[in-house]
Amino acid sequence: MLCLNLLKKPKLMRLFGNFILIIGLLLIYSCAEQDEFERQKLIGTWENSFYSESLNLDHVKVYYFGNNGNYINYTGFKVPGGSNFLGYTMYLEGTYTLSGNTILLKEEKHLANLGHDTYTEKENLTEIEKIGEIPGSLAFKEKGSVLEITIPCSDLLSSICIPSTNYNRLNTISHF
């Protein structure tokens, strides 16, 4: 009864109405940044890159998702600001399944650079034990031009793990 009497007061009604309006706007704004996930928009090549000052190279991580449920994921280096790919540090292939925005990556081939060089040709990579199945979640941002992939950190790599990474859509499929 006390609450109803308080809400009858005009000043409190305006305050309550403003509070509801602010909450509504915050919800709309928080959802506006993330576009709705669509499977067909996933198909293609996605790249994350950053400049490594110590090597004077761009470090790249690439995902390719095929229409047939196969994927390729690799890391390597390229000439800063360019598209000239120099070599690999890791390469893996597998299959993926989707359920809404949840993805399950199943590794079938896992190659790594175990040599002393910073990067190497794919033929010089060494096959290592597959991780198996890797669950994650996907979200599109910036009208589908950015794909956010979130994969939980493993106990083995937790000290260097970055669980969410944004990838930019590439127009070409390369380096395979």
Side-chain angles (χ1 to χ4, degrees):
M1 192 65 119
L2 178 63
C3 289
L4 289 176
N5 285 336
L6 288 175
L7 289 177
K8 289 180 182 178
K9 309 269 186 207
K11 198 180 258 188
L12 288 175
M13 284 295 287
R14 279 190 299 245
L15 183 63
F16 182 74
N18 289 339
F19 177 74
I20 296 297
L21 180 63
I22 289 171
I23 295 297
L25 289 173
L26 286 174
L27 286 172
I28 290 170
Y29 179 75
S30 67
C31 295
E33 180 63 26
Q34 183 172 327
D35 295 341
E36 185 178 323
F37 184 82
E38 293 178 25
R39 177 188 169 93
Q40 200 57 32
K41 289 168 74 175
L42 177 65
I43 308 305
T45 306
W46 301 88
E47 178 183 272
N48 173 280
S49 66
F50 63 89
Y51 179 70
S52 172
E53 194 171 316
S54 63
L55 297 171
N56 192 28
L57 296 172
D58 282 347
H59 183 267
V60 296
K61 183 168 185 173
V62 175
Y63 274 96
Y64 167 74
F65 294 101
N67 203 19
N68 58 359
N70 291 332
Y71 80 97
I72 296 171
N73 172 225
Y74 65 87
T75 59
F77 292 93
K78 65 181 183 177
V79 173
S83 59
N84 186 15
F85 188 74
L86 301 171
Y88 297 88
T89 58
M90 186 270 310
Y91 177 92
L92 59 90
E93 295 177 1
T95 60
Y96 69 93
T97 54
L98 292 174
S99 177
N101 72 329
T102 301
I103 190 166
L104 182 64
L105 303 169
K106 296 179 185 175
E107 286 186 12
E108 295 174 2
K109 177 190 262 184
H110 193 143
L111 307 173
N113 179 11
L114 301 180
H116 298 289
D117 295 327
T118 303
Y119 56 85
T120 189
E121 297 294 320
K122 190 164 93 175
E123 301 81 41
N124 296 331
L125 296 173
T126 303
E127 188 155 1
I128 62 172
E129 185 176 339
K130 297 179 252 337
I131 294 174
E133 294 184 349
I134 304 164
S137 64
L138 307 172
F140 287 117
K141 296 183 173 189
E142 298 182 31
K143 297 186 177 19
S145 65
V146 173
L147 173 65
E148 180 182 73
I149 301 177
T150 303
I151 295 177
C153 297
S154 71
D155 293 337
L156 181 64
L157 301 174
S158 63
S159 64
I160 59 170
C161 178
I162 301 172
S164 292
T165 305
N166 290 336
Y167 295 83
N168 296 308
R169 180 180 287 284
L170 296 181
N171 294 327
T172 60
I173 301 170
S174 57
H175 318 306
F176 310 122

